[in-house]
Amino acid sequence: MAREYQIQKKPRTLASGIDYRKELNDEQYAAVSSPAGRSLVIAGAGSGKTRTLTYRVAWLLDHEIEARNILLLTFTNKAAREMSTRVRELVTQDISDLWAGTFHSIGSKILRRHAEEIGYTRALTILDRDDQKSMLNTIVTAMKLDTGKKRFPKADVLASMFSLVVNTGQSLEKVLAERYEYFEEFLIPMEEIRLKYIEKKQQTNCMDFDDLLVKTVELLKSRADLLALYRKKFRHILVDEFQDTNQVQCELIELLEGESNSLMVVGDDAQSIYSWRGADMQNILTFPLKREECRTFAIETNYRSVPEILDLSNEAIRANTERFDKNLKAARVAADMKPALVAVEDPHMQASFVGQRILELQQEGIELDEIAVLYRAHFQSMEVQMEMTLRGIPFAITSGVRFFEQAHIKDVSAFMRFVTNRRDEVAFKRMVQLMPGIGPGSADKMWAGWQKSGWADRVETPETFSSIFANIKPPKKAEPDWQQMGYILDEMLRREGGFARPSDMVYSILEGIYDEYLKATFDNYEQRKNDVEKLMEFGNGFDDVMLFLEQLSLLSNTDTDGDPTKKQEQDDEPKITLSSIHQAKGLEWKVIFLVWLAEGQFPNGRVLESDDNAMLEEERRLFYVAITRAKDQLYLLYPMINPKSYTGDIMQQPSRFLNDFPADMVEQWNVGHSWDDDDAPF
């Protein structure tokens, strides 16, 4: 007869000694100390979400839950490291067995343990974006597609499309119809490429980032024994930023949750702003509806913002119908000023106001790195970037590279550089390599052909480039675009001699060839097109293309003023932050300037045209995220006129979001200027 033997629990002699009542407010304590089960924690902006999660882990450890039985899921490696570090500082127990990481890293950890179960080996390779593009290019090349004269989407765009199929659960046909309608004619070959891509990854023992989630779900659904193993292991699951989960991530959580595991998800429906990459806010809205006896906790005490800003944010989000009802309360005392509502004449005056006010704030003792300028889209930062440069205010950009240093801006300027300087080899080669079938080798041959024509060294400007280009033989695949490029360069010349205006040049380049290139090459086509249109507006202030190109060059080298040895010194100095709102989520500053609050700019014009209420509500959540970044001062700006180079000045209406709160919650600022119109600085 077998002898019965029981493993006793290890004695808990190393309790953390945390006084949870003292360290947490009542709302946080209620969530942290809640019994095992299913819990939804709605943590408002600035309410201590990370603190709540880390103290919840500490509470579990203090109440005899083993670290190996806890799973903490986050969206970034930084968040996972920060929470693990905080827990380590709170408790005395060894937490090396705690599983804390991003969804993808946890999926990778599981898959490497059981790769053979789904036809892989443990030595599987995880493809980064460049690897994905290389594999997709190999597949597309092997298929020898005949797409006629229209450009076929490049690998980067294909990868984005296929990722959306995975993360939204939609068919490729639906993804194209909703987001890439200009490629719908290529549905059949693209679906074939997608299936071949899936097959090739399996053959080569590779996975991309989406597979780390999809394959983990497939593994757990196909192997009941493994699912039972991980359910037994992860008795307590905690999820950060639950409002940002997509369909696959939610399915993974539900699989591990099972019928009896404890699950606490923390998030804020009012900060759900990533539907464009597959996030589904319904996951958080329906969480309590799907689970019996689900406890819901609201953490509504805000430690970040003054009451005037917080009251405004509460009113701003109430216009949304799809949301949990909550009311943030400020822990701070009242401020000296209400949020400022600033109407300005045009984008240049908007930038002037921001620049002048920043210098005033600096004189008042506010450090530059405590100030941020936020905007809906990167192109809306151009005038502010120029203003900061002219005033000598150092700035850092989190929404992308500096406007005039972006690849697509440099592409367009290459046409202009070449047409004005026919010896510019760098500009010529950049320009021709935009065409299909032309790489560095072909570009070298075409440059040799251009030099052979004799026009590179002639003083006079040719009457037409197209006639000269006809004698230079490009690769067959590039012939239609080569001919079109000649016509574009012709349009950039004036019939009476000299050059067209810069804004007209940019228009010719965009309409003639570059718009199709943007569609085929970049998954953020609309943003980049907006940038080029912004460059067109900038060019409207110049008659002389030489002066225009000179300004582009100067504004592209503001980091070092032409001296690369200065860059390191400048990197350590305080800078204001220029950021899109998406990039600013989770951050905070003492002073926020929120610019371009005009209809069609914010909310976005595409959203208004769609008449989709769900999209409009996400735009309002984006507005909410922006204003809740501010601690002390908030400036809401909108230009009343938007000068367009190809349609003339457009009168703009204030954003509808400015009507979502009572007028007495803001202070109106009437902005004028001290110069005569004839002496305007722009």
Side-chain angles (χ1 to χ4, degrees):
M1 183 175 178
R3 179 180 296 187
E4 297 294 330
Y5 186 84
Q6 294 287 329
I7 301 292
Q8 302 298 318
K9 282 186 178 179
K10 297 175 185 177
R12 291 283 178 173
T13 58
L14 299 176
S16 68
I18 299 171
D19 185 342
Y20 290 92
R21 279 287 189 187
K22 181 180 178 182
E23 296 296 327
L24 303 169
N25 66 33
D26 290 345
E27 297 162 345
Q28 294 167 342
Y29 180 79
V32 166
S33 63
S34 61
R38 281 63 188 270
S39 303
L40 169 64
V41 181
I42 301 297
S47 65
K49 170 180 65 68
T50 301
R51 185 178 185 83
T52 301
L53 269 173
T54 51
Y55 272 83
R56 174 62 175 179
V57 175
W59 175 276
L60 293 173
L61 294 170
D62 268 349
H63 288 76
E64 301 191 343
I65 303 299
E66 299 286 346
R68 60 188 174 85
N69 294 135
I70 300 173
L71 172 64
L72 175 58
L73 289 165
T74 66
F75 272 84
T76 66
N77 289 315
K78 180 182 176 183
R81 287 193 300 269
E82 180 183 355
M83 290 189 197
S84 296
T85 299
R86 289 197 192 183
V87 172
R88 201 171 284 113
E89 292 170 349
L90 286 172
V91 302
T92 53
Q93 294 99 313
D94 177 14
I95 64 165
S96 57
D97 287 339
L98 171 70
W99 279 39
T102 65
F103 284 88
H104 294 91
S105 66
I106 297 299
S108 176
K109 198 170 181 178
I110 293 173
L111 288 170
R112 287 198 184 278
R113 294 184 171 197
H114 310 285
E116 292 87 349
E117 308 293 337
I118 51 174
Y120 287 81
T121 74
R122 293 192 181 188
L124 65 90
T125 299
I126 299 173
L127 303 174
D128 62 19
R129 190 65 159 197
D130 286 340
D131 298 327
Q132 282 183 275
K133 287 158 61 176
S134 178
M135 185 177 286
L136 286 166
N137 280 329
T138 300
I139 295 168
V140 172
T141 300
M143 289 176 64
K144 297 180 179 178
L145 296 170
D146 180 11
T147 61
K149 293 184 178 181
K150 188 163 183 181
R151 289 177 182 266
F152 192 75
K154 291 194 175 182
D156 204 27
V157 180
L158 291 172
S160 293
M161 292 176 183
F162 299 163
S163 181
L164 280 170
V165 169
V166 171
N167 289 308
T168 63
Q170 296 178 332
S171 66
L172 179 60
E173 182 177 15
K174 189 166 185 181
V175 167
L176 289 178
E178 291 184 356
R179 308 191 189 215
Y180 300 91
E181 68 280 355
Y182 39 84
F183 286 134
E184 286 184 292
E185 64 186 275
F186 295 137
L187 171 61
I188 293 175
M190 283 196 292
E191 180 64 18
E192 185 178 352
I193 292 167
R194 189 179 72 85
L195 296 176
K196 287 180 181 293
Y197 174 57
I198 294 171
E199 182 181 354
K200 194 170 187 66
K201 285 186 291 181
Q202 183 92 34
Q203 290 172 350
T204 56
N205 198 41
C206 294
M207 291 185 187
D208 60 29
F209 265 61
D210 293 327
D211 290 327
L212 297 178
L213 300 179
V214 173
K215 297 296 184 184
T216 302
V217 169
E218 289 178 1
L219 172 70
L220 296 178
K221 289 173 74 172
S222 64
R223 288 289 303 272
D225 56 334
L226 291 179
L227 178 58
L229 173 71
Y230 283 102
R231 281 179 174 173
K232 186 175 181 180
K233 176 176 177 56
F234 300 132
R235 305 301 297 181
H236 291 268
I237 304 168
L238 298 96
V239 185
D240 186 24
E241 303 285 12
F242 189 68
Q243 78 279 352
D244 294 334
T245 53
N246 61 33
Q247 182 189 51
V248 184
Q249 290 161 333
C250 194
E251 188 173 8
L252 176 60
I253 293 167
E254 290 173 352
L255 280 169
L256 294 174
E257 173 190 7
E259 295 181 1
S260 58
N261 280 346
S262 179
L263 171 63
M264 175 178 283
V265 301
V266 181
D268 183 5
D269 56 294
Q271 297 187 68
S272 179
I273 57 174
Y274 295 114
S275 67
W276 49 274
R277 67 184 188 195
D280 186 354
M281 192 179 72
Q282 292 302 314
N283 291 341
I284 192 170
L285 291 179
T286 61
F287 183 88
L289 303 177
K290 292 180 178 179
R291 294 161 176 84
E292 292 184 9
E293 300 181 1
C294 174
R295 301 177 184 87
T296 300
F297 302 92
I299 304 179
E300 299 176 314
T301 302
N302 175 287
Y303 294 91
R304 176 186 299 157
S305 305
V306 294
E308 292 80 359
I309 293 174
L310 205 57
D311 292 344
L312 180 66
S313 71
N314 284 328
E315 288 299 320
I317 199 62
R318 282 199 179 96
N320 274 6
T321 57
E322 289 270 16
R323 65 182 182 89
F324 288 111
D325 191 27
K326 63 178 178 297
N327 189 60
L328 295 183
K329 303 178 292 290
R332 298 181 58 191
V333 299
D336 295 332
M337 64 174 282
K338 294 180 180 180
L341 180 59
V342 187
V344 290
E345 186 175 316
D346 58 27
H348 297 297
M349 188 174 286
Q350 178 175 249
S352 293
F353 174 87
V354 172
Q356 181 172 308
R357 190 73 189 110
I358 285 173
L359 293 177
E360 292 169 351
L361 291 167
Q362 188 181 27
Q363 290 175 351
E364 294 169 13
I366 297 178
E367 294 289 340
L368 291 180
D369 52 14
E370 288 284 0
I371 302 172
V373 182
L374 304 184
Y375 35 81
R376 173 66 179 80
H378 185 54
F379 75 90
Q380 294 169 338
S381 69
M382 189 194 78
E383 290 90 359
V384 175
Q385 289 187 44
M386 292 171 59
E387 185 72 19
M388 298 303 104
T389 302
L390 292 171
R391 290 183 182 268
I393 302 172
F395 63 94
I397 303 176
T398 65
S399 56
V401 299
R402 294 182 178 233
F403 185 87
F404 296 106
E405 295 172 357
Q406 296 176 109
H408 45 293
I409 299 300
K410 288 184 172 290
D411 287 344
V412 172
S413 66
F415 284 79
M416 305 170 80
R417 284 170 50 189
F418 174 71
V419 82
T420 56
N421 176 13
R422 298 187 302 279
R423 293 183 182 182
D424 192 333
E425 181 179 353
V426 172
F428 178 89
K429 289 181 177 179
R430 184 174 192 125
M431 181 178 73
V432 300
Q433 287 185 75
L434 298 175
M435 296 185 292
I438 297 185
S442 298
D444 288 342
K445 291 178 183 177
M446 296 180 72
W447 175 248
W450 172 250
Q451 287 183 306
K452 188 177 179 181
S453 74
W455 278 98
D457 297 314
R458 292 175 68 169
V459 176
E460 70 272 24
T461 301
E463 289 188 9
T464 65
F465 281 91
S466 53
S467 59
I468 305 167
F469 278 15
N471 298 316
I472 302 172
K473 196 69 175 173
K476 187 172 181 60
K477 194 174 182 180
E479 284 179 358
D481 280 2
W482 178 241
Q483 185 181 37
Q484 178 66 15
M485 194 170 286
Y487 295 144
I488 292 168
L489 295 175
D490 289 345
E491 287 184 6
M492 295 166 70
L493 301 173
R494 282 197 175 129
R495 291 182 181 177
E496 66 274 14
F499 305 108
R501 297 182 74 247
S503 58
D504 294 334
M505 286 186 172
V506 177
Y507 181 83
S508 294
I509 297 162
L510 179 63
E511 294 298 312
I513 198 170
Y514 201 65
D515 188 60
E516 287 297 316
Y517 174 81
L518 287 175
K519 287 178 182 175
T521 308
F522 303 110
D523 61 344
N524 59 345
Y525 155 70
E526 289 186 358
Q527 294 176 32
R528 292 179 186 255
K529 183 179 181 182
N530 284 332
D531 285 343
V532 177
E533 290 176 343
K534 199 62 159 174
L535 181 68
M536 197 186 311
E537 292 172 25
F538 178 60
N540 202 40
F542 297 82
D543 288 321
D544 187 336
V545 68
M546 303 297 190
L547 288 176
F548 174 79
L549 291 172
E550 180 182 308
Q551 282 296 305
L552 289 192
S553 177
L554 291 172
L555 290 166
S556 296
N557 292 283
T558 53
D559 274 351
T560 60
D561 293 327
D563 182 355
T565 63
K566 293 182 181 179
K567 184 168 176 45
Q568 185 59 47
E569 297 173 13
Q570 294 185 353
D571 280 347
D572 297 330
E573 68 180 336
K575 302 177 177 71
I576 68 160
T577 299
L578 272 58
S579 176
S580 70
I581 302 168
H582 285 101
Q583 291 290 333
K585 185 175 178 288
L587 303 176
E588 59 184 37
W589 293 268
K590 285 185 177 179
V591 182
I592 294 290
F593 293 89
L594 181 53
V595 297
W596 280 103
L597 277 166
E599 288 287 275
Q601 299 288 336
F602 191 14
N604 179 275
R606 179 175 52 84
V607 172
L608 298 181
E609 290 170 6
S610 71
D611 200 28
D612 185 326
N613 190 60
M615 292 174 66
L616 181 61
E617 291 208 347
E618 179 156 336
E619 289 285 292
R620 186 175 283 109
R621 293 194 295 273
L622 197 59
F623 177 60
Y624 173 84
V625 167
I627 59 182
T628 54
R629 299 311 93 200
K631 295 195 282 188
D632 299 343
Q633 296 184 32
L634 174 65
Y635 297 85
L636 307 171
L637 295 99
Y638 66 93
M640 294 178 285
I641 298 174
N642 187 8
K644 293 284 187 180
S645 60
Y646 49 98
T647 57
D649 291 354
I650 296 176
M651 298 298 295
Q652 296 190 138
Q653 294 297 315
S655 170
R656 63 189 62 197
F657 301 151
L658 299 176
N659 296 321
D660 289 337
F661 48 81
D664 61 4
M665 298 190 82
V666 295
E667 180 183 3
Q668 297 270 356
W669 286 38
N670 296 319
V671 179
H673 54 72
S674 59
W675 60 81
D676 295 329
D677 289 339
D678 293 337
D679 191 34
F682 303 109

